[in-house]
Amino acid sequence: MRLRPLLLGQVLVGAASRWPRVVRALIDVHVDAIEAVGKHLLMDLSDGTTLRVHLGMKGRWRQVPPGEPIRVSMGDVSLRLDTAGGTALCTRAPTVERFRTREKATHRVLRRLGPDVLGEGFDPAVAAVRAARSRWPTAAEVLLDQGVACGIGNVYKSELLFVLRTHPFAPTDSVAHDTWEGLYAKAATLMRANLRPAPRNTTGLGPGRPLHWVYGRRGRPCLRCGSRVQSKMQGSDLPRVTYWCARCQHSGTVHD
């Protein structure tokens, strides 16, 4: 995690947020631990509290060197943490909260999360069992269920289903255990490969090749068979755009 060198073990010399209560009395507090749990970033502080940041769809972290001006509207500053080595700036994240570290195990959101795809000891077979029991009706919706396994977002959802030739609208109970296990194993492989600072690439095709198999490629030729990539809003809880190739991902029910 690229924030660790800047923040871990450092003293906060400044802090700001569009939610002022989150950063109250943080000056001279140490950052004792930083942990990513799925899409949640947790920072344990020396005052016995923990900061939780969820980036959502639009949130971004960036590092600002010491002395470099920060030209960002305060309304966009979800969290700003200053140390002697520079500034960690999070903008447009929908969720930043601070709670007592001892309450982490019973936190209303964190306690519902499944195993982290990028966590040590992640077992795709265990995630596969949880996926088969999910309440969501389709394969794509299950992959986004952070209670089954946390960390997979909308881009990887479409990419993983394409790679394993699984239709996004396939009924959950029609997906075989081996397919679920393969989806979560591939998720761990691709997401770990993208932890490095180099540009993201979910296809694995290498430098100079497309970054995605199907995501964002509506109407363009499928990189595998040449058919036109399709897209559709999917999901009843929080609808997201799903991309797929009808020829390569032929199983499941298509909703036209």
Side-chain angles (χ1 to χ4, degrees):
M1 188 184 304
R2 283 169 281 178
L3 290 177
R4 281 199 177 102
L6 175 61
L7 295 177
L8 187 58
Q10 300 300 310
V11 179
L12 299 179
V13 298
S17 173
R18 62 191 180 98
W19 299 290
R21 293 181 61 185
V22 170
V23 294
R24 184 175 297 166
L26 279 187
I27 307 303
D28 294 329
V29 171
H30 290 73
V31 180
D32 290 339
I34 299 178
E35 176 188 16
V37 181
K39 294 180 174 296
H40 305 262
L41 182 67
L42 307 177
M43 288 179 274
D44 294 345
L45 307 175
S46 61
D47 66 349
T49 65
T50 293
L51 285 167
R52 178 177 74 93
V53 180
H54 190 286
L55 294 179
M57 295 291 288
K58 297 182 178 180
R60 294 290 184 272
W61 279 103
R62 69 183 177 96
Q63 296 184 34
V64 183
E68 181 175 308
I70 299 176
R71 297 184 177 90
V72 177
S73 166
M74 194 61 208
D76 286 335
V77 176
S78 302
L79 184 63
R80 170 179 170 171
L81 299 175
D82 302 321
T83 70
T87 295
L89 180 66
C90 180
T91 56
R92 305 186 72 186
T95 303
V96 180
E97 70 163 336
R98 188 173 166 201
F99 58 92
R100 295 188 182 278
T101 303
R102 65 171 181 264
E103 298 170 355
K104 193 182 295 186
T106 58
H107 188 277
R108 68 192 186 284
V109 173
L110 299 177
R111 70 185 180 188
R112 296 198 298 265
L113 295 177
D116 190 339
V117 172
L118 293 175
E120 292 185 16
F122 175 71
D123 188 345
V126 172
V129 172
R130 297 168 68 94
R133 298 172 178 169
S134 174
R135 67 185 177 89
W136 298 107
T138 64
E141 291 171 282
V142 172
L143 286 180
L144 288 182
D145 185 350
Q146 303 298 296
V148 172
C150 64
I152 298 174
N154 200 47
V155 175
Y156 279 106
K157 173 201 76 178
S158 292
E159 296 291 281
L160 290 165
L161 291 166
F162 175 84
V163 170
L164 270 78
R165 297 179 180 270
T166 304
H167 200 285
F169 290 93
T172 299
D173 59 6
S174 74
V175 180
H177 175 89
D178 287 350
T179 299
W180 283 125
E181 187 171 345
L183 285 164
Y184 287 105
K186 193 66 173 178
T189 298
L190 291 177
M191 291 169 65
R192 286 191 184 111
N194 279 307
L195 289 176
R196 57 182 181 268
R200 290 166 58 98
N201 188 309
T202 61
T203 65
L205 293 176
R209 302 297 299 276
L211 297 180
H212 305 124
W213 285 105
V214 290
Y215 185 83
R217 293 177 55 83
R218 174 184 172 91
R220 300 175 66 183
C222 169
L223 297 174
R224 192 183 268 156
C225 73
S227 298
R228 297 293 176 184
V229 172
Q230 301 182 31
S231 71
K232 182 178 176 67
M233 295 296 293
Q234 182 179 13
S236 56
D237 185 28
L238 182 61
R240 304 284 184 84
V241 180
T242 295
Y243 298 85
W244 79 97
C245 171
R247 180 179 294 177
C248 293
Q249 299 164 261
H250 53 79
S251 62
T253 303
V254 182
H255 299 258
D256 295 320

